[in-house]
Amino acid sequence: MTTADHLRLIDGMRTEEFPPERVASACGVSGPGYHTALLPDADRRDEGDEADRLARRAHRVAAHEALLTLLTLRWGEPQPVSLWSAQERMAAGEAIAEPWAGPVASCEHLLLWRTEDRWTALVRYPDDDGPDGELGVVVTVVDPP
């Protein structure tokens, strides 16, 4: 998917009604008060030599940065949110409300915008072999933890 495709997906998530119960979608999960999605990457294959893998990784990082730039132009600077305290609470047994449980369990931080009545978060899920990982989006009316 291109950056324009990612923007269309995010716009759709922001305008689509929330379902009354948790349901899977083509690229994520939706539930009462939220939509989540992993932004599809057209080139996540692992074959090829190290130079090919590094080039694909660099392309993914550039695509993520382009999306961040466009969202920042739309809504202003995002609020960087550390998930450390929520991770500590989760480790101590506290239940974290959806849609935040996944990012809290997997990520150190996220970028957050408040626009109109919804939160939109850009989440970079870690990758075992590099810093770029998968990019996710959360659109919700549920306040962050």
Side-chain angles (χ1 to χ4, degrees), residues 6 13 40 44 48-49 54 65 72 80-81 92-93 95-96 108 116 121 143:
H6 291 158
M13 291 170 66
R44 291 292 299 183
D49 64 15
L54 289 173
E65 292 302 320
T72 299
V81 175
I96 302 295
E108 294 180 12
E116 300 163 12
D143 288 337

Side-chain angles (χ1 to χ4, degrees), residues 4-123:
D5 294 328
H6 291 158
L7 287 172
R8 277 191 290 280
L9 176 66
I10 293 168
D11 289 343
M13 291 170 66
R14 291 185 43 72
T15 58
E16 185 177 341
E17 292 293 321
F18 300 118
E21 49 190 57
R22 185 179 167 96
V23 294
S25 68
C27 54
V29 175
S30 295
Y34 68 90
H35 299 295
T36 68
L38 286 178
L39 297 180
D41 186 343
D43 199 3
R44 291 292 299 183
R45 61 195 155 97
D46 289 329
E47 60 268 2
D49 64 15
E50 185 65 17
D52 289 339
R53 285 191 296 277
L54 289 173
R56 286 193 302 273
R57 185 176 294 137
H59 181 265
R60 284 196 309 269
V61 169
H64 295 171
E65 292 302 320
L67 181 60
L68 174 59
T69 298
L70 292 172
L71 292 176
T72 299
L73 287 171
R74 279 185 174 185
W75 301 323
E77 288 295 320
Q79 176 183 352
V81 175
S82 170
L83 299 175
W84 177 83
S85 65
Q87 289 169 339
E88 290 293 312
R89 294 191 329 261
M90 182 182 263
E94 181 179 328
I96 302 295
E98 290 296 344
W100 301 111
V104 167
S106 304
C107 303
E108 294 180 12
H109 67 277
L110 53 81
L111 298 172
L112 189 64
W113 291 268
R114 176 72 173 182
T115 54
E116 300 163 12
D117 66 336
R118 296 184 181 201
W119 296 101
T120 302
L122 199 54
V123 183

